[in-house]
Amino acid sequence: MDLTEVIEAYLVESDELLRDMEVILLRTDTTLPTDEDLNAIFRAVHTIKGTAGMFGFEATVSFAHVVENLLDDLRSHTIQFQSHLTEILLKAKDHLLYLVLNETKGKIPQEKLNLGERILDEMKPFLSANVSQVPQKKQMSSEIQDQTNLKNPNKTNDFSPDSNANGIQSYLISFRPNQNVFSHGLDPISFIGYLKKIGTIISLKTIDQFLPEGNEYDPENNYLGFEINFSSEKDLESVQKVFNFIEEDSFLHIYPPGFTIEDLVDLSNQLPEEEIFLGNLWKEIHILNENSLLEYLEEIKSRKTGVPSASSSTTQTDMGIPNSSSEITEQNKESLKSSTIKVDSKRIDNLINRVGELVVSCANMNQLIGDADDPNLQESSLVVMRLLNEVREISLKLRMVPIGESFQKYSRIVRDLGKELHKDIRLITEGNETELDRNIVEKLGDPLTHLVRNACDHGLELPEERQKKGKPKQGTIRLNAYHEAGSVVIEVSDDGNGISKEKVWKKGIEKGIVYGELPDSDEEVYKLLFHPGFSTASQITNVSGRGVGLDVVYQNIESLRGSITVKSIPSKGSVFILRLPLTLAIIEGFLVAVGKSHFIIPMEMVLECLHFSDDHKTESNQFFALRGNLIPFLRLKDYYPCDSRSDISRENIVIVRNGEKKAGIVVEELLGEYQTVIKPMGSVFRHVKGVSGSSILGDGNVALIIDVPSLFERTITIENQKLFSHRG
Amino acid sequence: MEPKQTIQSSQEGFGIFWKGYLTVPFIKDWYELSNQWEIPKGKKIRIDLSEIERIDSAGIQFLIYLKKTTNSNHQVLELTNHSLAVLKVLDLLGLVSFFGDRIKVKKEHANEVEFRYGTRKVS
């Protein structure tokens, strides 16, 4: 087993243990911890200390050691649990998590070590009481500590980021000759060969990633690149001189010995290859080792996300745990644990991608078999399709995780914010067992945190204010998840002040986003809350009762193909309702066509299909009559340039559900249900409104997947613009 | 030196003998010669490189291209009897494992190649 995996396992395990520890500690806010609880948190810290000791992570070991002592005294009832300890232990847990995540990457900065000292200082009063009571025991503990240290006297160097942390001791040459070097009479190999005259090529890797196959290959163009690990006594200038004549015709980057992981990340941003590809390549040529590769990947990740993270939760997926996990007794849990295996999430993603491809190829095959008119063949293809569907279902389920796990962390946020804001807040979570694609759960973290913080900060009133209104002093925030018609709904609600429509609308007018009278539709007013200009003005918090950055929440949810709606009753509270697809990979769609262009409407939105006859048409050409109701509609051909076929005599209308409203989409042909793999749009088209992805049909044609809510939103915007320009 | 190609077909595939400079000035000719191959899928193509006296970046790139293309055509490309010039480039660019062919180094050339990296052996 290589070291990366071992460290990864340590990170995952520690993260899990500390998360459990937090859950237990949060419970102690209301009830005293049981012996079982104390044993569990002791075991958590003890296990982390043990593993950290194995790797020689000293900062983690020495901090965990003191915490462990305190917990040991608590579980043996040498000292009594006091509510103040919850606070300290929560801080200790946070600090321990920080140490675990960061010591694998390098030295812990002094300020963080000082923070650790301060936390330990807070524990001292409890510990010193202990010392005076049972001096012998204390002494014993410190002996154990000495032993732990002795066991790994200098082992640190083997595992902690090695000497590379101070800089890598050879030259790294990244050499990408331009495509046209040959025509300038230059031969890159001769320059590389010359390197051998001034030093030793420790390792070299030829990159042929961009060498095309087939007709795109022009033998007179250069497509190769080189990464060279080079050792030499000569200075940088001499090494650079080797490439003097070809420098102008190349991308050339030479790092002299002593460069760092950060330098590599900078370089990877300038090179055409993917960062991960480069990381592995540098490992192959011995520029990086197991540890520093991990460090390099972490650095990339933290630059991308802006937060230093060693996200351990992404590497595990639980399989086969029944839905009703809350009902499982502790004993059963133990036995279940042994029957589940941890799988790298990338493998599952890979599997799902492959199954997706298989679905597409099978659709293609089916079409061909259908044309062949051979009943036997058709029958066996049906069997294959049925089996494939089962495999698809099963593999998609592999990625499903109950949302409860991620709900858990909000208890902490609510608790901390409550203290900070002097509010008494209770968090109730419901539907913890509701399952959702792990990728979605991860991406939901930020938006949900935002909404929960908002509810605490702006939604709920101060206790005195609540009392005056005749509400209970304690405010309630509720997180609720449930399945509804092929999607998952998550509600974040509070019993606070509610949102004043008038104030929001007034502010909207002040900001110049809207004008006119307050509309009847709540939706139109609340939509303002997600307007970028609206939220950046922090003053809004005092006016509307809703806070900063909701536009980001909106964008996040939208990028998950979800939608967000708000409901609010003044002085009763508000609720933010998020609707999300179950998975991002495969879509059950309804295939329609306009001319030769194909479109897919997500199945869960389709209510019914009708022949769009003259009876339905109204004069407005924006609404049609359906069983006595007026429903807005749009024609797909008005929004996407398609070659409409003149021979189509009848049009069809697909009635879709857009949130809680109905709307119609007029198309030429209905082609039926279609199960397909979503291919993301290329970066150029990513911001196109009204389309959420594309898909390849069995016959190789591309179909666009319609993003119904945004299509209608776009329609409304266009109509409004027309209306205003007309007025103007 | 102008490229020369002779092809011999056998049951298991095709033996191709190359003679000439595998370098920029002739690379287009080599490419065109390779386009003349009419070799069905699943067959082996064995190229004898003993008479390649010179090879440059364009030449080695062409060999990489052939390896990749034949791979995706479900054919097997085998390079044999590498001349010293070819061996030196494979050695320098760490491409021995990439091609995965049997390498024979003559005694008198033993000091001219090292194979310190680019082989599957742990260096």
Side-chain angles (χ1 to χ4, degrees):
Chain A
M1 197 177 186
D2 72 26
L3 199 63
T4 327
E5 284 178 42
V6 181
I7 291 200
E8 197 68 33
Y10 161 67
L11 291 173
V12 171
E13 190 191 23
S14 307
D15 183 58
E16 251 171 42
L17 289 168
L18 290 171
R19 220 185 301 169
D20 291 347
M21 177 174 171
E22 186 178 74
V23 172
I24 296 172
L25 286 172
L26 287 172
R27 273 210 302 266
T28 63
D29 264 347
T30 45
T31 51
L32 275 176
T34 60
D35 283 355
E36 177 78 8
D37 288 342
L38 290 171
N39 281 336
I41 44 181
F42 171 81
R43 273 199 307 270
V45 177
H46 183 75
T47 312
I48 291 171
K49 188 184 102 171
T51 325
M54 241 165 57
F55 291 123
F57 296 144
E58 280 175 14
T60 312
V61 171
S62 59
F63 182 81
H65 183 73
V66 184
V67 184
E68 187 191 12
N69 280 346
L70 176 72
L71 290 168
D72 194 22
D73 290 345
L74 279 171
R75 70 176 190 155
S76 59
H77 299 289
T78 318
I79 52 172
Q80 289 305 312
F81 192 88
Q82 298 168 27
S83 58
H84 185 52
L85 273 174
T86 305
E87 200 64 49
I88 300 173
L89 284 172
L90 277 174
K91 278 190 212 162
K93 176 248 140 193
D94 287 348
H95 188 65
L96 205 50
L97 184 64
Y98 173 85
L99 291 176
V100 166
L101 294 182
N102 292 284
E103 202 169 13
T104 49
K105 292 187 251 165
K107 270 196 163 179
I108 301 292
Q110 191 55 42
E111 47 169 345
K112 285 288 176 184
L113 291 175
N114 293 344
L115 173 72
E117 286 299 321
R118 283 203 295 280
I119 298 171
L120 295 182
D121 280 348
E122 283 186 57
M123 284 182 193
K124 268 189 189 146
F126 301 94
L127 281 168
S128 54
N130 172 30
V131 171
S132 61
Q133 276 167 22
V134 229
Q136 268 181 328
K137 193 169 162 41
K138 186 70 193 153
Q139 209 179 340
M140 218 168 66
S141 309
S142 54
E143 271 167 26
I144 294 172
Q145 183 182 20
D146 291 341
Q147 275 173 12
T148 338
N149 290 343
L150 268 177
K151 262 188 216 163
N152 316 283
N154 281 319
K155 222 172 168 187
T156 341
N157 292 345
D158 290 351
F159 291 107
S160 63
D162 56 9
S163 54
N164 283 349
N166 304 322
I168 296 158
Q169 295 314 312
S170 49
Y171 283 90
L172 172 65
I173 305 172
S174 293
F175 180 34
R176 303 285 185 282
N178 286 352
Q179 224 174 43
N180 52 9
V181 279
F182 299 160
S183 58
H184 294 182
L186 298 164
D187 178 13
I189 292 179
S190 61
F191 294 86
I192 297 170
Y194 193 78
L195 275 177
K196 287 168 103 177
K197 300 210 162 135
I198 60 161
T200 315
I201 296 177
I202 297 171
S203 195
L204 180 152
K205 191 85 187 152
T206 305
I207 304 170
D208 59 14
Q209 229 194 3
F210 299 110
L211 179 71
E213 286 177 44
N215 292 337
E216 282 171 40
Y217 169 74
D218 178 346
E220 288 179 329
N221 280 348
N222 171 62
Y223 305 98
L224 300 181
F226 310 90
E227 285 293 312
I228 310 165
N229 179 351
F230 181 61
S231 134
S232 174
E233 304 275 293
K234 300 273 189 216
D235 60 1
L236 176 64
E237 208 180 325
S238 315
V239 180
Q240 270 166 339
K241 262 190 190 161
V242 173
F243 296 93
N244 255 355
F245 295 108
I246 200 171
E247 206 172 1
E248 267 184 28
D249 285 287
S250 310
F251 172 87
L252 179 74
H253 198 103
I254 305 176
Y255 274 128
F259 59 95
T260 61
I261 301 291
E262 281 78 28
D263 292 333
L264 288 183
V265 176
D266 289 340
L267 178 61
S268 71
N269 287 333
Q270 297 172 48
L271 290 171
E273 295 83 12
E274 298 264 332
E275 295 122 332
I276 295 173
F277 173 84
L278 286 167
N280 285 321
L281 198 143
W282 287 327
K283 192 180 149 232
E284 261 182 74
I285 61 168
H286 312 293
I287 287 288
L288 295 174
N289 60 19
E290 296 279 355
N291 251 346
S292 46
L293 174 64
L294 188 71
E295 210 180 320
Y296 163 81
L297 294 174
E298 285 294 341
E299 176 70 21
I300 287 174
K301 197 169 163 193
S302 71
R303 281 202 200 177
K304 276 191 181 155
T305 54
V307 276
S309 73
S311 100
S312 36
S313 58
T314 56
T315 52
Q316 67 163 99
T317 305
D318 287 334
M319 299 195 297
I321 295 188
N323 280 352
S324 53
S325 55
S326 53
E327 289 159 26
I328 300 165
T329 61
E330 282 302 311
Q331 221 176 2
N332 282 345
K333 256 191 201 166
E334 280 304 313
S335 63
L336 263 176
K337 258 186 195 165
S338 59
S339 66
T340 59
I341 52 164
K342 285 179 180 170
V343 184
D344 188 340
S345 60
K346 276 184 218 136
R347 290 191 190 180
I348 292 185
D349 289 349
N350 218 343
L351 172 74
I352 291 173
N353 279 341
R354 291 279 172 250
V355 172
E357 300 292 332
L358 203 56
V359 170
V360 173
S361 337
C362 264
N364 185 18
M365 190 184 74
N366 256 4
Q367 209 163 8
L368 295 174
I369 290 175
D371 297 344
D373 204 24
D374 177 342
N376 286 336
L377 205 56
Q378 281 167 358
E379 199 178 318
S380 62
S381 90
L382 280 180
V383 177
V384 173
M385 272 318 262
R386 184 175 55 79
L387 288 173
L388 178 60
N389 278 340
E390 281 169 23
V391 174
R392 187 189 71 102
E393 293 280 318
I394 295 169
S395 50
L396 277 182
K397 278 210 179 106
L398 293 181
R399 218 162 51 175
M400 296 300 225
V401 289
I403 195 156
E405 273 177 34
S406 63
F407 274 180
Q408 211 61 56
K409 73 173 181 190
Y410 300 106
S411 327
R412 181 68 189 280
I413 293 173
V414 167
R415 181 187 183 278
D416 290 353
L417 266 179
K419 292 231 153 150
E420 197 181 305
L421 299 163
H422 308 293
K423 288 178 185 175
D424 189 1
I425 314 171
R426 174 172 66 142
L427 177 78
I428 299 177
T429 59
E430 287 167 83
N432 289 336
E433 68 289 346
T434 310
E435 286 193 330
L436 193 55
D437 191 315
R438 184 183 49 78
N439 290 349
I440 300 187
V441 172
E442 270 171 26
K443 287 181 187 146
L444 260 182
D446 282 348
L448 277 184
T449 308
H450 215 104
L451 291 176
V452 170
R453 286 183 66 94
N454 253 352
C456 292
D457 192 6
H458 312 304
L460 293 174
E461 314 91 331
L462 286 164
E464 308 83 59
E465 211 178 313
R466 290 180 65 88
Q467 269 183 326
K468 270 187 217 158
K469 288 183 183 167
K471 290 184 183 177
K473 242 168 92 176
Q474 191 179 45
T476 305
I477 292 175
R478 208 176 278 268
L479 281 172
N480 187 13
Y482 54 91
H483 286 268
E484 188 189 79
S487 46
V488 170
V489 182
I490 299 169
E491 295 178 353
V492 184
S493 55
D494 64 66
D495 64 346
N497 221 355
I499 306 168
S500 158
K501 270 168 64 179
E502 290 77 16
K503 284 182 185 168
V504 173
W505 190 251
K506 212 176 122 195
K507 193 75 193 173
I509 293 176
E510 273 173 34
K511 293 224 146 238
I513 307 166
V514 286
Y515 37 92
E517 292 289 306
L518 177 71
D520 288 335
S521 138
D522 290 355
E523 202 186 324
E524 216 170 301
V525 182
Y526 294 142
K527 224 164 74 184
L528 285 175
L529 296 171
F530 302 105
H531 198 280
F534 213 75
S535 48
T536 44
S538 56
Q539 294 306 318
I540 197 69
T541 45
N542 306 330
V543 183
S544 68
R546 284 291 157 192
V548 180
L550 278 176
D551 58 319
V552 182
V553 174
Y554 185 76
Q555 279 163 16
N556 279 331
I557 299 298
E558 217 181 24
S559 72
L560 291 171
R561 299 209 323 270
S563 66
I564 179 165
T565 43
V566 187
K567 283 182 184 167
S568 178
I569 304 173
S571 79
K572 292 268 186 204
S574 7
V575 49
F576 284 72
I577 304 161
L578 316 180
R579 272 199 180 74
L580 297 152
L582 280 176
T583 173
L584 294 173
I586 293 181
I587 188 172
E588 298 269 354
F590 190 75
L591 189 64
V592 297
V594 180
K596 284 177 189 159
S597 311
H598 290 86
F599 298 90
I600 294 168
I601 304 171
M603 200 63 203
E604 70 256 27
M605 297 198 160
V606 177
L607 288 175
E608 58 182 311
C609 303
L610 299 167
H611 167 46
F612 191 55
S613 63
D614 290 338
D615 304 347
H616 292 114
K617 289 175 187 163
T618 58
E619 278 177 21
S620 75
N621 213 18
Q622 280 180 8
F623 293 93
F624 77 105
L626 175 72
R627 295 187 283 270
N629 292 321
L630 276 183
I631 294 179
F633 75 90
L634 57 83
R635 282 191 158 79
L636 266 193
K637 65 177 176 198
D638 294 343
Y639 291 90
Y640 303 101
C642 347
D643 300 326
S644 185
R645 282 191 355 218
S646 50
D647 59 327
I648 293 277
S649 56
R650 61 173 264 177
E651 283 180 317
N652 293 295
I653 185 158
V654 183
I655 315 288
V656 292
R657 184 169 48 183
N658 178 16
E660 282 162 14
K661 291 175 193 155
K662 286 178 186 174
I665 298 176
V666 177
V667 298
E668 287 175 0
E669 273 180 285
L670 301 172
L671 298 166
E673 277 185 49
Y674 192 80
Q675 200 176 59
T676 182
V677 186
I678 299 182
K679 300 271 175 199
M681 303 291 280
S683 51
V684 180
F685 304 106
R686 200 157 287 159
H687 300 293
V688 175
K689 287 267 176 194
V691 176
S692 58
S694 63
S695 178
I696 299 163
L697 299 176
D699 58 4
N701 275 321
V702 173
L704 295 178
I705 299 166
I706 291 180
D707 179 359
V708 174
S710 82
L711 181 66
F712 275 89
E713 197 182 311
R714 201 185 93 160
T715 317
I716 292 165
T717 321
I718 294 173
E719 291 302 328
N720 281 348
Q721 277 167 359
K722 276 188 205 161
L723 200 65
F724 289 130
S725 63
H726 182 68
R727 276 186 193 170
Chain B
M1 267 225 316
E2 297 281 322
K4 271 187 191 160
Q5 172 175 275
T6 35
I7 303 182
Q8 270 185 335
S9 72
S10 71
Q11 226 177 6
E12 63 160 336
F14 292 78
I16 297 173
F17 182 82
W18 275 358
K19 190 181 164 84
Y21 290 170
L22 202 50
T23 51
V24 173
F26 307 105
I27 202 68
K28 241 184 176 156
D29 303 335
W30 285 111
Y31 178 63
E32 273 155 24
L33 283 178
S34 76
N35 280 338
Q36 292 169 10
W37 300 350
E38 280 173 7
I39 297 170
K41 278 187 182 179
K43 290 289 180 184
K44 187 181 256 185
I45 305 160
R46 180 179 288 159
I47 305 180
D48 186 311
L49 298 173
S50 57
E51 293 293 321
I52 298 294
E53 286 172 45
R54 282 189 196 173
I55 179 167
D56 64 4
S57 302
I60 193 72
Q61 178 179 274
F62 177 57
L63 288 179
I64 297 175
Y65 161 80
L66 285 180
K67 183 80 183 176
K68 287 177 114 183
T69 313
T70 46
N71 246 345
S72 40
N73 288 345
H74 305 284
Q75 294 157 332
V76 181
L77 178 75
E78 195 184 306
L79 305 178
T80 62
N81 297 331
H82 309 75
S83 65
L84 180 63
V86 177
L87 280 184
K88 276 182 166 177
V89 173
L90 290 187
D91 184 22
L92 182 67
L93 299 189
L95 287 168
V96 177
S97 282
F98 172 81
F99 287 104
D101 298 306
R102 271 188 70 188
I103 302 266
K104 278 187 269 176
V105 184
K106 287 182 188 158
K107 249 188 191 167
E108 62 265 34
H109 297 149
N111 292 331
E112 306 209 33
V113 280
E114 297 170 87
F115 300 119
R116 292 179 58 247
Y117 52 86
T119 58
R120 289 212 177 84
K121 284 183 289 179
V122 179
S123 47

